[in-house]
Amino acid sequence: MTLVVMGGLPGTGKSHLARRLASELGATLLAADTVERGLRAAGFGDDPRVGLAGYGVSQALAAEQLGLGAVVIADAVNIHPEARAAWIDVARRAGVGLVVLEVVCSDRVLHRTRLEQRGDAVPHVDWSQVEDLREQYEPWPVPTTVVDTVRDVDTPRLRTLVPRP
């Protein structure tokens, strides 16, 4: 089985791509935004630890699903080295392959438009926060495949990156 980890700045198109890929592969999708929405709805509100808890819950669910033989797609920003290391550890402990898709949007005007038109479906992040995250970016410690959503939205090509049982 395989753990597919999506990473990239907010608004690049990670979630859209992750949903399409999960549907086409019949994979389990674990979206950090969904987990965080659930935690907020359960009363955790704007506690800054909600983001960290969302990653922890998603990683525990991923480990369980991988143990059941599922292909898992983890959809989150994954910009911090600690988050990346945790996903790498999930794959290692589960004894499965790891595919990291680094999602970018090379057209900054389009990227900003996407971010500003997302609505209330995800926690609000503004363009200045995206720019701050861009400044914090560090390379992944494992090989990645860069997917530019301005042109690389061909999920059949991406499916070939995910080994099937």
Side-chain angles (χ1 to χ4, degrees), residues 81-150:
E82 297 83 9
R84 294 172 178 186
W87 286 117
I88 294 165
D89 190 53
V90 167
R92 182 192 55 75
R93 283 185 288 116
V96 301
L98 175 67
V99 173
V100 177
L101 299 179
E102 256 187 294
V103 183
V104 301
C105 180
S106 61
D107 180 331
R108 284 203 178 191
V109 172
L110 177 60
H111 183 183
R112 186 172 187 166
T113 300
R114 286 178 179 169
L115 180 78
E116 291 171 351
Q117 293 178 347
R118 292 193 317 180
D120 293 333
V122 293
H124 181 70
V125 176
D126 65 31
W127 186 248
S128 66
Q129 290 169 302
V130 169
E131 291 291 355
D132 288 345
L133 287 172
R134 189 184 317 275
E135 293 298 318
Q136 296 173 28
Y137 178 83
E138 294 180 28
W140 281 76
V142 295
T144 67
T145 298
V146 175
V147 179
D148 186 345
T149 58
V150 171

Side-chain angles (χ1 to χ4, degrees), residues 19 29-40 75 121-123:
R19 283 191 298 274
L29 174 62
L30 298 172
D33 289 340
T34 302
V35 174
E36 289 176 24
R37 256 193 321 278
L39 290 169
R40 285 185 179 88
D75 171 26
V122 293

Side-chain angles (χ1 to χ4, degrees), residues 16-94:
H16 176 75
L17 192 58
R19 283 191 298 274
R20 283 180 49 194
L21 193 56
S23 177
E24 291 183 25
L25 292 172
T28 298
L29 174 62
L30 298 172
D33 289 340
T34 302
V35 174
E36 289 176 24
R37 256 193 321 278
L39 290 169
R40 285 185 179 88
F44 291 91
D46 292 330
D47 187 315
R49 295 173 294 176
V50 166
L52 182 60
Y55 276 84
V57 169
S58 295
Q59 289 157 356
L61 290 169
E64 182 174 43
Q65 291 300 304
L66 290 165
L68 295 171
V71 171
V72 174
I73 299 175
D75 171 26
V77 172
N78 288 312
I79 196 129
H80 298 291
E82 297 83 9
R84 294 172 178 186
W87 286 117
I88 294 165
D89 190 53
V90 167
R92 182 192 55 75
R93 283 185 288 116

